[in-house]
Amino acid sequence: MNANTLISINEQKQLVAKTISMPASYLDDYHQHPWHQVIFPVSGLLQSEIDNRRVVVPHNALLYIPAGTQHKSVAFTRTEFAALYLNPTSKVTFCHAPKSCLVTPFFKELVLLLLKKADAPDNNATSNLLHVLNDQITAAANYEIPLLKPKDRRTLAIFEGLIDQPATRLTLAQWAQQVGASERTLSRLFTKEFNQSFRAWRQHLRLVLSLELLTTTRSIQDIALSLGFASDAAYISAFKALFVNTPHTYRNGVLQAKTVYSL
């Protein structure tokens, strides 16, 4: 059922929820909801655009979108996420600005509990939990992983090539020959769109791609080498710098969330 239809037939409730699955490369183009929305990834990779800001939402983050805010999302890989819709006329006054939040273990359990509560009748316990949710969104650290997918056709060709073969070691000069642009032009495009060098952007992309691989049983070393890292130590260090946690901690969090989510 469409989210806005679900909202319209439950307009007296404080909270409704649904799970959303997207195949790889699926684009959910610009739209809005009359209620606030919380997006919590369960698996896969999602890049969302809100108010001209584009962010990647991994498993240890969630995205809060106020009611009436235009947004769109694209799935890098097959993606599943839980969506909470929060009635803006309820007893809880939620934030007025979108926010990508770092999710603590308590925050995660709260969201998963509300996901279960969504099918139950409204009561004071639900109101109390929603007050706590708003407090958590307000207090949470901002956690924005910048966009990865380029708009220019030449840099987009590099993006698509690395999605298919992330371990490729082609230099920017070699990519320039393939996509029909000078190395200087490509360098300028990466700086303009991502405020990063090509090498930094490529590592960023590889790290984000590793999130999906961490949902499998492949070893950390195998994942690191398959993505083009020199060693598992180099991968672990880079992963922790971007995602706060180690790959092992992240993997355990994914597996735990999937277990609780499926109950």
Side-chain angles (χ1 to χ4, degrees), residues 13 19 25-26 46 63 65 82 88 103 108 128 161 182-183 185 191 205 214 220-221 228 240 252 257-258 261:
K13 295 194 67 174
T19 59
S25 300
Y26 180 84
L46 192 71
L63 189 60
I65 305 171
V103 175
K108 178 177 67 178
N128 292 337
S182 69
E183 181 180 3
T185 296
T191 300
L205 178 60
L214 288 170
I220 300 298
Q221 182 181 47
K240 189 172 182 181
N252 287 343
K258 281 186 174 181
Y261 176 76

Side-chain angles (χ1 to χ4, degrees), residues 47-49 53-56 76 144-151 193-196 201 204:
Q47 179 173 289
S48 294
E49 183 169 335
R53 293 162 50 216
R54 283 176 285 170
V55 295
V56 176
F76 283 175
E144 295 195 0
I145 300 171
L147 74 155
L148 293 168
K149 189 172 184 178
K151 290 185 174 180
E193 189 163 1
F194 303 106
N195 198 29
Q196 286 182 313
W201 172 83
H204 187 160

Side-chain angles (χ1 to χ4, degrees), residues 148 158 162 166 168-175 183 186-187 190-191 194-207 227-230 238:
L148 293 168
I158 297 174
L162 286 170
T168 183
R169 296 186 180 278
L170 292 180
T171 65
L172 193 58
Q174 290 169 322
W175 277 116
E183 181 180 3
L186 290 180
S187 179
F190 278 107
T191 300
F194 303 106
N195 198 29
Q196 286 182 313
S197 68
F198 164 70
R199 287 173 62 88
W201 172 83
R202 181 179 61 185
Q203 174 166 291
H204 187 160
L205 178 60
R206 286 170 170 169
L207 289 169
L227 291 170
F229 287 90

